[in-house]
Amino acid sequence: MTRVLFVCLGNICRSPSAEAVFRGLVRERGLEDTILTDSAGTGAWHVGNPPDERAQLVGRHYGYDMSDLRARKVEDTDFAEFDYILAMDNSNFRNLERMRPSAYAGTLAMMMDFAGRNGEEVPDPYYGDLSDYETVFDMLKPAAEGLLAHILDEMKK
């Protein structure tokens, strides 16, 4: 089982959107028994809440249902449980680097690295409008496809 965790600040916009897009690709290929997905935030402000209504609205428009997701905070144990931990921006990446135990053997990376856009951030749409959420989904799709291709290549080795 390969385990993937998507991380942003509050776990109500970008990381649940990334999880929904990636989970959709995993389901399309019938890999639910092989790849597990989750998302979390480095902050705890929204723990227990569903994704932002705007993220859900745009997600549904793109064919992704994320109504079952609930925000949670990144825990130290996530480094023992997840093979891939993917940050949406530099600030959260740095927070995760500080949390990462020296023995972590998984991959800690930026989400957009898997779209060939190394170091690029997925912008936070929280203070924007629906077009900002659409931009996020448009960015996440090629990154999720690249991530899945990478994981499938690694599984072949």
Side-chain angles (χ1 to χ4, degrees):
M1 174 77 66
T2 299
R3 299 170 186 269
V4 182
L5 179 66
F6 302 96
V7 179
C8 68
L9 185 60
N11 192 214
I12 60 167
C13 295
R14 295 170 291 173
S15 55
S17 297
E19 180 181 2
V21 172
F22 188 72
R23 182 172 68 172
L25 293 174
V26 167
R27 281 185 182 149
E28 283 175 13
R29 291 181 174 81
L31 298 169
E32 301 99 308
D33 293 335
T34 307
I35 301 173
L36 174 108
T37 64
D38 197 2
S39 60
T42 57
W45 308 277
H46 304 288
V47 168
N49 292 339
D52 184 280
E53 291 178 12
R54 296 164 295 177
Q56 290 194 62
L57 177 68
V58 173
R60 280 192 303 273
H61 175 76
Y62 281 78
Y64 305 109
D65 177 18
M66 57 176 122
S67 61
D68 62 318
L69 302 179
R70 294 296 177 267
R72 73 174 187 85
K73 188 176 185 300
V74 174
E75 302 290 338
D76 291 336
T77 56
D78 288 330
F79 288 93
E81 294 177 19
F82 289 92
D83 304 294
Y84 292 86
I85 299 178
L86 304 171
M88 299 298 124
D89 61 45
N90 291 318
S91 175
N92 287 295
F93 182 80
R94 286 189 301 274
N95 288 338
L96 291 165
E97 279 187 312
R98 283 190 291 275
M99 292 177 69
R100 174 177 53 186
S102 58
Y104 181 61
T107 298
L108 173 60
M110 295 279 286
M111 180 67 180
M112 294 308 296
D113 291 356
F114 291 94
R117 295 158 69 173
N118 292 356
E120 186 173 335
E121 296 182 315
V122 177
D124 190 347
Y126 187 76
Y127 293 105
D129 58 25
L130 287 179
S131 69
D132 296 300
Y133 286 83
E134 291 169 353
T135 297
V136 166
F137 275 92
D138 289 341
M139 291 177 77
L140 290 172
K141 180 75 184 239
E145 289 170 342
L147 173 61
L148 183 57
H150 171 82
I151 290 171
L152 292 175
D153 284 347
E154 289 297 308
M155 291 172 140
K156 291 176 187 174
K157 294 179 180 177

